[in-house]
Amino acid sequence: MGSAGPVSRKPDMRLTQQQLEAHLWGAANILRGKTAGQDYKNYILSLMFYKRLCDQWENEADEAIAELERQQGRAFTEAQKAVFRARGAHRFFIPEDCRWGDMLAVSVNLGEELTLAMRAVADANEELKGVFTVDWNQPAPDGSGRPLIPNEVVYALIQHFNSHDLSNASVPPDVLGGAYQYLLKKFADDAGAKAGEFFTPPEVVDTLVHILEPQPGDTIYDPTCGSGGMLVHSADFLREQGHRATAAQYFGQEMNWSNAAIGKINSVLHGLEAQIVAGASTITDPAFRGAAGKVRKFSLVLANFPFSDEFWWLKPEFQTDDKKKKDKLKKETFGKEGYKDPFGRFGRGTAFKAPPAGYGDYAFILHCLASLTDTGRAGVVCPQGVLFRGQPEVEEETGEFDDEGNPKVKRRKADDEHLIRRALLESRLIDAVISLPLNVFYGAGVPACLLILKKQRPPERHDQVLLVYAARHYRELSNQNELRPQDLMRILVHAHAYGDPAKVPDLVAQHSRRIGKQIDARETDEVERLEAEYADWADTLTRLETQLTKDSAALANLTAGAIRDKAKVGLARLQAQRDRAAAKVAERDEKIAETRRRADDDRRDVEVFGAELGAIYGDPDELIKHARVVGIDEVEENEFNLNIPRYVDTFDPEPRVEVKDALTALRDAESALKSAEGQLLALLRGAGYEAK
């Protein structure tokens, strides 16, 4: 790579978050369809981050030089500035020949040069190890030797990103972090089912975080961190409470290298300084270990693990399609007492049975539990199967009889999952279970729940479990369901009240205020986002209407003839362009109106649902349809089955119909039937058929 020297950086007006989002999504549109599957997100996110690092390096150098010039009362020459630029203190070091200006100067083999530059930046900064995983020079699969992403596409992306400065001077960290989160959501929507590997819906994460309430001094850990959303939301909560994000420490592990890279970038952009380890399974190779090889302890664990992973016990390199190989490994891995866990989380020598080979849910749950300090708490997204799968020990008649005529009985051992759930309950570790609506997760159509675990619980809750049925309330979208702000308020009031009606009024007021602000902010963001998205069309419409007025006046002064006819054709073409731009602006206005209608509905529903929650907690018969605090003794009577419908009345009765209304409907139906028969007979007669 040959150095292009310092880049002349013109002052860039500050971008709003919505303008930045439109700019970044424009880059995604350039690359979409030119890489394998959904990999294009990794290219766009890494290029955005690389541009940010380079621009901020230049910005830091400019600020340092300006300060030195101020102190010395003189202006430096360009040669002096070049020396100071190289020596200046920087958050991240960008090696010479690897800066943005160097990429702008490249005309051929741009993918190769860009890949080398990114890797050199990662090698020069310990915190950035593993961030740049993409290969811009990856060969096409046809064996031609050409790159998968053509040189001209990489060039177009470089030019696109070059149109805006991404340093703090133009894009503050909170704006860039917000835009990054927006991009992740857009990529998740685009990826569909595959998005579940790296993205948890923010509404679910927000709910978990506000139930567990991160505190300064917490060590926060996500064992399957994906793009790092759980960690980022925890930091956001701390900021809401007036603390710095760095008041806590953040840790994550992610098996997929590309997803871990996205998470690392997310962490850096949000100022978390998180330790994220990639490339190994949390179950087979936990990255964070303490004394004697056991897993390290954290005060807060948040997780959304792969649901019901059939091969949770296999290292990634052995998870191939070779079934026989897996069966052989299974025999070696599982003895008579189950999985041989070398990290002391379950199995021999612990209070918990090893999870069954075919379902990995409890492997992850027990890992989270083993990762908690003595006063720690955890919030885990689980399939609802963990609440009831597995049978207790039972005695069954064999159909045979002994010599005295008594039926012979055989005893069937309890299933492992039943035993694990029983041990969790008997150890008083499960604080709450919250069922969620169907289809709120990308690619997971199975019913899900939030499992809240606490090592140390208040004495009054020690022998209780809170069960919340939150599956009724959601917004139905085209591809999946979404938890609305008012739905989150319901869950949080139930979780924090823990069955105590006296707490409800203050909780409703508290969450109504907070969620109301969220609704207002979301409405403003979406409106500004739409205005940014359609800004070019709005400018075009203004320009065309001005031109039309001018050309129409000119046409009126022309006499009949070839020039007038030509002008009329040009005016008609201009009018068609104006109509197209007007249609786009009308489309924007309708979307803005829909955004405002939805926000108004949400604000009204928050108020209505708040009043409804007060009424629910004043009526025990109504409360039992939504939430219930259950004693462990009752759970034991139900054989430690936590299926929520056993305890909460989830039945939705059919709407009551008055007899007089039913009779009216019957008469109307009979009248409609008689009319239809008459019409049919008339049609038959018209066709020459006579009824006999």
Side-chain angles (χ1 to χ4, degrees):
M1 289 179 286
S3 175
V7 184
S8 176
R9 301 175 64 254
K10 298 179 181 178
D12 198 343
M13 64 179 291
R14 278 187 173 254
L15 293 172
T16 67
Q17 182 170 315
Q18 293 72 29
Q19 290 170 330
L20 179 60
E21 288 167 356
H23 170 64
L24 295 175
W25 192 240
N29 290 330
I30 293 173
L31 190 59
R32 185 183 289 105
K34 299 178 178 67
T35 65
Q38 296 299 321
D39 286 349
Y40 77 102
K41 73 177 185 301
N42 302 316
Y43 288 87
I44 295 301
L45 294 173
S46 64
L47 184 57
M48 181 211 78
F49 186 53
Y50 171 65
K51 176 68 157 57
R52 166 69 171 194
L53 293 173
C54 291
D55 286 354
Q56 184 58 18
W57 190 93
E58 299 286 353
N59 182 57
E60 289 164 352
D62 287 345
E63 289 178 343
I65 290 168
E67 177 60 21
L68 284 171
E69 288 179 329
R70 187 192 66 77
Q71 291 175 0
Q72 298 184 20
R74 65 188 181 93
F76 295 154
T77 64
E78 288 301 319
Q80 289 172 322
K81 287 182 180 180
V83 173
F84 285 121
R85 296 180 87 80
R87 292 179 181 172
H90 295 278
R91 172 70 175 83
F92 294 104
F93 176 66
I94 310 296
E96 191 176 357
D97 295 348
C98 298
R99 295 163 196 159
W100 188 256
D102 298 306
M103 296 305 101
L104 285 173
V106 176
S107 57
V108 295
N109 299 327
L110 183 51
E112 180 181 0
E113 295 292 323
L114 185 57
T115 300
L116 291 172
M118 286 181 169
R119 291 178 178 172
V121 170
D123 290 341
N125 299 274
E126 186 65 30
E127 193 176 340
L128 301 182
K129 300 288 187 184
V131 162
F132 298 116
T133 60
V134 297
D135 181 0
W136 290 89
N137 199 43
Q138 179 183 348
D142 61 1
S144 63
R146 296 174 300 178
L148 177 65
I149 305 175
N151 193 72
E152 55 268 26
V153 174
V154 184
Y155 177 82
L157 282 168
I158 294 290
Q159 296 303 314
H160 179 86
F161 272 101
N162 195 54
S163 62
H164 288 296
D165 171 38
L166 296 185
S167 74
N168 283 341
S170 301
V171 184
D174 61 327
V175 171
L176 191 62
Y180 190 83
Q181 290 292 103
Y182 168 80
L183 269 188
L184 288 177
K185 176 69 165 63
K186 291 283 285 184
F187 284 129
D189 291 340
D190 208 28
K194 292 184 177 180
E197 297 177 4
F198 68 90
F199 191 79
T200 302
E203 299 81 14
V204 175
V205 184
D206 186 70
T207 301
L208 268 181
V209 167
H210 278 82
I211 288 173
L212 295 168
E213 299 181 326
Q215 301 296 316
D218 268 336
T219 49
I220 304 174
Y221 169 54
D222 183 346
T224 53
C225 69
S227 58
M230 298 275 192
L231 305 179
V232 168
H233 277 258
S234 297
D236 289 342
F237 180 88
L238 285 169
R239 291 190 185 98
E240 284 177 22
Q241 307 305 310
H243 307 292
R244 292 181 179 273
T246 49
Q249 295 176 275
Y250 306 89
F251 305 85
Q253 182 166 350
E254 169 57 39
M255 188 163 66
N256 182 288
W257 282 99
S258 296
N259 293 341
I262 295 172
K264 286 187 176 186
I265 294 172
N266 209 3
S267 163
V268 172
L269 292 179
H270 285 86
L272 306 194
E273 300 181 7
Q275 294 184 41
I276 295 177
V277 179
S281 163
T282 287
I283 301 300
T284 60
D285 293 286
F288 300 99
R289 303 180 195 176
K294 306 297 185 185
V295 294
R296 180 175 171 177
K297 307 290 186 181
F298 303 92
S299 60
L300 176 57
V301 177
L302 297 158
N304 179 13
F305 56 77
F307 284 6
S308 303
D309 184 0
E310 185 180 359
F311 300 109
W312 58 270
W313 44 275
L314 276 175
K315 292 176 181 285
E317 59 267 28
F318 293 123
Q319 292 192 19
T320 67
D321 291 330
D322 186 350
K323 191 73 171 64
K324 292 182 180 179
K325 187 176 182 180
K326 287 175 181 173
D327 287 341
K328 181 182 178 182
L329 285 167
K330 181 177 176 182
K331 291 177 183 177
E332 295 172 355
T333 308
F334 285 80
K336 291 182 178 180
E337 297 184 47
Y339 180 77
K340 304 168 186 175
D341 179 34
F343 306 105
R345 297 164 295 183
F346 38 79
R348 284 173 286 185
T350 74
F352 302 102
K353 289 281 292 181
Y359 287 98
D361 303 316
Y362 273 114
F364 287 99
I365 292 170
L366 294 179
H367 171 80
C368 291
L369 185 62
S371 301
L372 288 179
T373 61
D374 291 341
T375 57
R377 68 262 192 230
V380 188
V381 182
C382 307
Q384 287 188 28
V386 304
L387 304 178
F388 51 80
R389 280 198 311 252
Q391 297 297 315
E393 183 178 279
V394 294
E395 290 185 347
E396 300 174 327
E397 294 185 3
T398 63
E400 299 177 350
F401 298 89
D402 60 20
D403 295 338
E404 297 179 0
N406 298 315
K408 289 184 178 181
V409 175
K410 68 175 181 179
R411 178 168 295 176
R412 189 170 69 81
K413 293 174 62 176
D415 294 328
D416 291 339
E417 289 195 303
H418 168 83
L419 293 172
I420 294 171
R421 184 170 58 251
R422 175 174 178 166
L424 288 171
L425 288 161
E426 289 181 334
S427 301
R428 306 305 195 258
L429 292 167
I430 299 179
D431 187 62
V433 180
I434 300 160
S435 69
L436 296 175
L438 277 171
N439 203 31
V440 294
F441 295 96
Y442 294 93
V446 299
C449 64
L450 305 180
L451 188 66
I452 308 300
L453 304 169
K454 292 187 178 179
K455 280 286 193 76
Q456 191 175 82
R457 303 170 62 204
E460 66 273 15
R461 286 158 60 165
H462 185 259
D463 297 321
Q464 298 176 330
V465 178
L466 171 67
L467 302 174
V468 178
Y469 183 67
R472 288 190 187 96
H473 307 290
Y474 56 88
R475 176 181 284 129
E476 188 173 347
L477 302 177
S478 57
N479 294 324
Q480 66 183 112
N481 297 323
E482 175 187 71
L483 287 169
R484 302 164 296 178
Q486 54 270 32
D487 303 326
L488 305 189
M489 183 179 74
R490 279 177 176 269
I491 294 172
L492 293 174
V493 169
H494 287 315
H496 289 139
Y498 214 87
D500 186 351
K503 295 180 179 179
V504 171
D506 287 344
L507 288 170
V508 167
Q510 170 194 331
H511 290 299
S512 293
R513 285 193 299 271
R514 183 182 69 85
I515 289 173
K517 291 178 182 177
Q518 283 186 342
I519 295 171
D520 293 343
R522 181 184 295 185
E523 178 186 14
T524 300
D525 287 348
E526 186 59 27
V527 169
E528 292 181 358
R529 189 172 292 124
L530 287 166
E531 288 174 343
E533 180 183 345
Y534 287 86
D536 288 345
W537 287 110
D539 292 343
T540 299
L541 179 61
T542 301
R543 176 178 58 78
L544 290 173
E545 287 183 334
T546 301
Q547 189 66 40
L548 270 172
T549 301
K550 179 181 176 182
D551 289 2
S552 296
L555 180 65
N557 294 324
L558 292 175
T559 58
I563 295 178
R564 180 179 173 84
D565 292 342
K566 186 176 181 180
K568 286 175 69 176
V569 171
L571 194 64
R573 187 181 298 114
L574 202 62
Q575 181 66 48
Q577 294 173 359
R578 181 264 171 210
D579 291 346
R580 185 184 177 203
K584 285 292 186 180
V585 171
E587 179 180 278
R588 177 204 66 184
D589 292 343
E590 178 53 36
K591 288 182 178 180
I592 289 175
E594 175 57 30
T595 296
R596 297 200 186 282
R597 283 194 294 270
R598 178 174 292 184
D600 287 340
D601 289 345
D602 287 345
R603 276 188 284 265
R604 183 185 64 252
D605 286 345
V606 166
E607 184 176 344
V608 170
F609 285 12
E612 184 182 301
L613 281 166
I616 286 172
Y617 274 84
D619 182 353
D621 291 336
E622 185 62 28
L623 179 58
I624 200 173
K625 298 177 183 177
H626 304 273
R628 187 166 169 235
V629 176
V630 180
I632 293 294
D633 54 348
E634 183 178 346
V635 177
E636 185 174 359
E637 289 173 6
N638 280 283
E639 298 177 322
F640 299 97
N641 187 314
L642 278 179
N643 194 20
I644 289 180
R646 286 190 174 224
Y647 309 93
V648 179
D649 182 7
T650 63
F651 178 71
D652 290 321
E654 292 291 332
R656 182 174 177 176
V657 179
E658 296 290 337
V659 174
K660 61 183 180 62
D661 294 334
L663 290 172
T664 299
L666 177 61
R667 284 194 294 270
D668 290 344
E670 289 174 341
S671 176
L673 177 61
K674 193 170 184 179
S675 174
E677 287 176 344
Q679 293 174 12
L680 178 60
L681 288 173
L683 288 170
L684 289 172
R685 282 194 294 270
Y689 294 95
E690 289 293 336
K692 296 182 180 179

